[in-house]
Amino acid sequence: MSLRIFCRFSFLNLSHGSKPAFRLPTGQLSSAAKKRNLTSTSAMNSNIKTMTMKDKSTEWRNVLTPWLDFFKYEPLNSAVEGFQSENGKQCLEGLLKDTLLFDDTPCVVAWDTDKDQAAGFIINQTFYKDPTPEQAKPPVPFANQNWDPECLPQIMEVEKTMQSLSQKYDVFTDLGVKKIFKTQVMCVSPKYMKHGVAQMMGEEGFKVALDAKYGYEAVVSECTSHYSYKASLKFGFRLAYECDFSECYSGYDKMANKSTHQRARVMVYKIK
């Protein structure tokens, strides 16, 4: 069994005591941040950094706390009780490392250098229409972790829902592309909401996606949150496919805030 982790934008309460190895010089902000005239209590001290493969392999614990919160509050994950047990959290720790090391696609972290904690993060991955044997990796397998048996049915339902979403829309055929940049997870702390953190992280991710040296032809976000859907629209994504959770997810009744998060959507942005 395996599960693909997708862009489920959550507003979390983040904290982490370990010191990051990656920080940008104070004042090195995106154009969006400057336009928003952000205050010193928000983005002025929330530096954005692209994580290389080396960063991901050595500093992955820096985003462990927001990752665990993501599996608590994100709509689909919120229906899986097993993620909140002590064993579940240990399994999620292993899953975080496996997910970050899936490939060498740069990821993004926003770090509050004053409070020494993560403000948010984005995990990105690369997929190909005709992958080489080296590129043809299966989705990150949940089965690699020693989950409590009673939580496996719930996890399988999340997997089933996301696999169905991917199968309903063939991005390679529809857009006529061969290599895509996919945003898998995006998360922002509530104290950084409305301060441009998501916007700045998204801009940093787009820099990678648009960099000619990588050869990406499209950006894809499979959104299971209303917030990720709204954020993708601001970046110029278009809606390619959507489905109601009440019809496609058996765990719908246990979802948190299901009145807000009613649909799963595939959002696409064609680069060339």
Side-chain angles (χ1 to χ4, degrees), residues 1 82-83 85-96 98 141-152 155:
M1 183 184 66
F83 288 149
S85 69
E86 287 305 312
N87 181 64
K89 292 176 182 178
Q90 290 179 7
C91 291
L92 288 173
E93 182 174 344
L95 183 63
L96 169 61
D98 289 348
F142 261 61
N144 282 359
Q145 312 302 324
N146 187 27
W147 303 96
D148 295 326
E150 59 269 23
C151 78
L152 289 178
I155 293 176

Side-chain angles (χ1 to χ4, degrees), residues 101-136:
L101 300 183
F102 175 81
D103 63 17
D104 60 0
T105 308
C107 296
V108 180
V109 175
W111 198 271
D112 187 328
T113 56
D114 283 348
K115 297 182 179 179
D116 204 20
Q117 63 184 20
F121 70 96
I122 301 176
I123 295 179
N124 305 305
Q125 294 177 351
T126 301
F127 294 93
Y128 304 83
K129 179 180 180 181
D130 301 306
T132 65
E134 184 179 272
Q135 297 166 342

Side-chain angles (χ1 to χ4, degrees), residues 34-139:
K34 294 176 181 177
K35 289 179 181 178
R36 291 171 184 263
N37 190 29
L38 300 177
T39 69
S40 60
T41 59
S42 57
M44 283 187 66
N45 300 311
S46 298
N47 293 329
I48 311 300
K49 171 66 178 181
T50 298
M51 295 179 72
T52 64
M53 191 62 175
K54 180 180 179 180
D55 292 328
K56 292 193 291 183
S57 64
T58 59
E59 305 298 333
W60 60 275
R61 288 183 181 276
N62 285 331
V63 295
L64 177 58
T65 295
W67 171 262
L68 293 178
D69 283 336
F70 171 79
F71 277 88
K72 181 177 182 180
Y73 296 111
E74 182 276 331
L76 291 186
N77 292 334
S78 68
V80 181
E81 297 174 358
F83 288 149
Q84 304 313 310
S85 69
E86 287 305 312
N87 181 64
K89 292 176 182 178
Q90 290 179 7
C91 291
L92 288 173
E93 182 174 344
L95 183 63
L96 169 61
K97 186 175 182 180
D98 289 348
T99 302
L100 284 171
L101 300 183
F102 175 81
D103 63 17
D104 60 0
T105 308
C107 296
V108 180
V109 175
W111 198 271
D112 187 328
T113 56
D114 283 348
K115 297 182 179 179
D116 204 20
Q117 63 184 20
F121 70 96
I122 301 176
I123 295 179
N124 305 305
Q125 294 177 351
T126 301
F127 294 93
Y128 304 83
K129 179 180 180 181
D130 301 306
T132 65
E134 184 179 272
Q135 297 166 342
K137 297 181 179 181

